[in-house]
Amino acid sequence: QVQLVESGGGLVQPGGSLRLSCAASGTDFSINRMGWYRQAPGKQRELVAGISVGGNTHLANSVKGRFTVSRDNAKNSVYLQMNSLKPEDTAVYYCNAEIRPGWSTAWYEYWGQGTQVTVSS
């Protein structure tokens, strides 16, 4: 089975930085696009950043200039570098990946368990 495992969340002061990591574990699978979503209390889940296998990136307007998304295909990992954090960035951040298990010809959406990011003074 394939799983996405996230790490790097925590409590940080406004203006601080955090780096989130997400790695896919398992055997015999392929990964296409990867990304990060977040969900704040009382709000719907929103796309924060996405990155294609070739390295093309997308960032939500609210985080442009502050966040950077990257990936390491050899490690089946995606990262989110978050700088100049604001209280409104507080949310549970979820790793997302489009994965094709070896037993299938179809692609599926996989999700990490979520990691809490809290920006507060």
Side-chain angles (χ1 to χ4, degrees), residues 81-104:
Q81 179 65 48
M82 304 184 293
N83 299 325
S84 301
L85 283 162
K86 304 175 180 179
E88 50 263 45
D89 295 317
T90 296
V92 177
Y93 284 70
Y94 296 92
C95 176
N96 168 262
E98 190 178 34
I99 293 177
R100 183 181 65 193
W103 47 264
S104 177

Side-chain angles (χ1 to χ4, degrees), residues 1 10 46 107 119:
Q1 295 183 353
E46 65 173 342
W107 294 83
V119 184

